[in-house]
Amino acid sequence: MLEAGPIALEYFRRTMVIEDKLPGVYYDPVTEADKRIEALIRERLGARFPDHRIVGEEHGDSGTGNTYWIIDPIDGTRSFISGMPTWGILLGLVVEGRPVAGIMHQPFTGETYLADPSAGARFRRNGLETPLRSRADAELQDAVLYSTHPSMLHRGGMLAPYERLAARCRLQRWGGDCYAFALVAQGSIDLMVDSLLMPYDIVPLIPIIEGAGGVVTGLDGTSPLRGGTVIAAANARLHAAALEILTQPAC
């Protein structure tokens, strides 16, 4: 995983070739860094776990089954090509349909957020590792709420419910992608809500947030293995309050 960081830094804040995967639909950029990073991670996983299924954003699904690795080589490609450091390399492990381990590595800042069943959720930088703890006492009225971009909520039919939620929180800001989800685990952000997520956008982050004491679900209250609209909250009480607002019928 850490070997992929230098590949990203070869391109970050430099001139790069950018392709649009959905021309005429909406702008969905991909770079050579995305492709090279996923290829490297797939190669390493294949060498160590030759029988494991691998699911990735750029190179698809290698098999079937409820146990698999899931890769987003650069989550936040729009931030990446804009020179903003709110992107990351994501890798997760799902066992029998349950996300059990995850990594979010940000090579530009040298930060790694990770979680596994044996050691819980933790933060690593400069050779030092500390436990991750979300804000257990966060309440709706003093919550910091983030979402990546209003267009995602608009296209997902969630902008009006999100605005209701934002009106009940202390502070609302835009931006972040995987970095904002990781900051829920770190206790800096209390709520992160995004729509139109793909599985590789969120599944690697679930063990990190849950391991830090947070809650991550879709609108149906279950683990968002298929992506969609996702609510990540610092604690169960806050999650329940946010979920109730987001699922209220329109007046």
Side-chain angles (χ1 to χ4, degrees):
M1 182 73 173
L2 297 182
E3 294 177 56
I7 296 176
L9 298 181
E10 287 181 32
Y11 298 85
F12 186 55
R13 295 185 177 174
R14 301 182 185 185
T15 302
M16 69 182 88
V17 176
I18 304 165
E19 301 174 33
D20 184 359
K21 292 190 286 187
L22 293 172
V25 182
Y26 63 89
Y27 187 52
D28 189 12
V30 62
T31 72
E32 189 65 21
D34 295 84
K35 298 174 184 179
R36 287 180 58 195
I37 288 170
E38 184 170 325
L40 174 67
I41 295 174
R42 281 179 174 271
E43 178 187 334
R44 296 293 188 267
L45 290 173
R48 187 167 181 182
F49 307 103
D51 298 328
H52 284 202
R53 176 186 171 198
I54 301 174
V55 180
E57 178 176 10
E58 306 305 333
H59 299 291
D61 193 335
S62 68
T64 60
N66 290 326
T67 296
Y68 55 92
W69 296 92
I70 187 162
I71 308 164
D72 193 339
I74 295 182
D75 182 83
T77 301
R78 294 170 181 82
S79 296
F80 181 77
I81 65 177
S82 303
M84 295 294 290
T86 52
W87 50 274
I89 302 170
L90 300 182
L91 175 64
L93 175 62
V94 177
V95 176
E96 295 301 320
R98 187 171 69 90
V100 298
I103 300 173
M104 192 288 274
H105 178 53
Q106 214 309 331
F108 184 73
T109 62
E111 297 171 309
T112 303
Y113 297 78
L114 65 161
D116 61 70
S118 64
R122 57 241 193 244
F123 173 76
R124 185 182 296 162
R125 187 180 185 189
N126 296 329
L128 300 176
E129 192 170 282
T130 56
L132 285 169
R133 294 287 182 269
S134 59
R135 204 157 71 92
D137 60 349
E139 302 278 356
L140 192 61
Q141 64 271 17
D142 71 351
V144 174
L145 167 67
Y146 263 69
S147 184
T148 298
H149 197 274
S151 65
M152 297 170 66
L153 298 162
H154 177 70
R155 286 188 283 115
M158 291 301 299
L159 188 56
Y162 182 87
E163 288 175 342
R164 289 198 304 267
L165 176 62
R168 301 281 299 277
C169 295
R170 175 168 58 94
L171 173 66
Q172 187 275 322
R173 301 292 292 172
W174 300 108
D177 296 291
C178 62
Y179 199 81
F181 278 106
L183 289 180
V184 174
Q186 197 172 50
S188 298
I189 292 173
D190 303 305
L191 280 168
M192 178 68 177
V193 179
D194 266 344
S195 287
L196 299 178
L197 295 185
M198 298 301 290
Y200 41 73
D201 295 320
I202 186 62
V203 171
L205 296 159
I206 294 172
I208 299 171
I209 297 168
E210 291 182 343
V215 178
V216 188
T217 76
L219 291 173
D220 62 358
T222 66
S223 188
L225 289 172
R226 296 185 179 181
T229 295
V230 173
I231 306 103
N235 59 65
R237 183 177 59 256
L238 180 60
H239 180 273
L243 184 61
E244 181 180 6
I245 293 169
L246 290 170
T247 55
Q248 284 175 355
C251 297

